[in-house]
Amino acid sequence: DKTVSLRKDLSEMHEWITQAEEEYLERDFEYKTPDELQKAVEELKEEATQKEGKVKLITDSVNSFIAKAPPAAHEALKKELDVLITSYQRLCSRLNGKCKTLEEVWACWRELLSYLDAENKWLNEIELKLKATENIQGGAEEISESLDSLERLMRHPEDNRNQIRELAQTLTDGGILDELINEKLEKFNTRWEELQQQAVRRQKSLEQSIQSAQETDKTLRLIQESLAVIDKQLTAYIADRVDAAQVPQEAQ
């Protein structure tokens, strides 16, 4: 009987709608890996597309039957179809909303990774700079140039780090990839703090080296000036044929 077959199809679609509402819409965000999140987005899209064709097929079948059957035979069936279409449209609207939310979450995750990548590249530069200034040799001017270079590198805007905090908070508040994100953030923040502390210590060390080099330069300059005076005086003695015995202090 055609009516029985159509009602069976309608019943199966009602069951699917109920199951979909429980499985896809009532389920909290529990995605722990990016693969799970991406898979959820793809499944929702695929499921909605498949059932869209199924609903269209059932609708066409019911309408075709109604067009040929007398009113008494199709009135109840028409009501069931109307209920199904209303339920399906409501489900599709909710599925699309959920899918859009998951896509936004996925975009948020990708954005978080891009900021982490940018900040880690900057931390790599800090690490290289710290190694380059570890045992720096030279005078006050050379050391001062190294200090200026380090300080310029340290004047890094906080914007990226703020974005990392905000994006991570948004995701973990929804329970999305929380374990993975917390692990990445802990690793990043630990490295950031360690390199910041090393950089501060290196700045102080370079400042002390500059001061020490300046004092050394000053001492050498005074010695050179003193030697120049002595040299001039001794040269004058030689020119005047002054005997060393006559000026024992200078001779000594």
Side-chain angles (χ1 to χ4, degrees), residues 119-143:
E119 285 301 277
N120 276 312
K121 285 180 180 176
W122 171 66
L123 291 177
N124 290 341
E125 292 181 26
I126 295 290
E127 214 164 30
L128 290 173
K129 180 63 67 176
L130 290 174
K131 289 180 180 177
T133 58
E134 191 171 2
N135 295 307
I136 189 167
Q137 303 293 326
E141 185 176 351
E142 184 178 350
I143 299 173

Side-chain angles (χ1 to χ4, degrees), residues 105-122:
V105 168
W106 178 252
C108 187
W109 162 250
R110 299 301 304 173
E111 190 177 6
L112 173 62
L113 289 183
S114 70
Y115 280 116
L116 280 171
D117 183 60
E119 285 301 277
N120 276 312
K121 285 180 180 176
W122 171 66

Side-chain angles (χ1 to χ4, degrees), residues 158-209:
E158 284 281 319
D159 297 355
N160 284 0
R161 198 172 181 219
N162 291 335
Q163 285 292 333
I164 288 172
R165 280 195 292 263
E166 291 175 10
L167 290 168
Q169 191 66 50
T170 298
L171 289 168
T172 54
D173 282 348
I176 306 293
L177 311 175
D178 48 0
E179 292 180 4
L180 180 61
I181 289 172
N182 288 333
E183 180 183 338
K184 283 184 174 294
L185 279 188
E186 184 178 357
K187 183 178 180 180
F188 166 72
N189 287 327
T190 298
R191 188 184 182 210
W192 192 92
E193 293 292 344
E194 287 177 351
L195 288 175
Q196 284 286 324
Q197 292 174 10
Q198 288 181 36
V200 170
R201 290 196 296 268
R202 185 59 47 79
Q203 285 174 307
K204 291 180 178 178
S205 174
L206 290 174
E207 288 170 356
Q208 292 172 353
S209 296

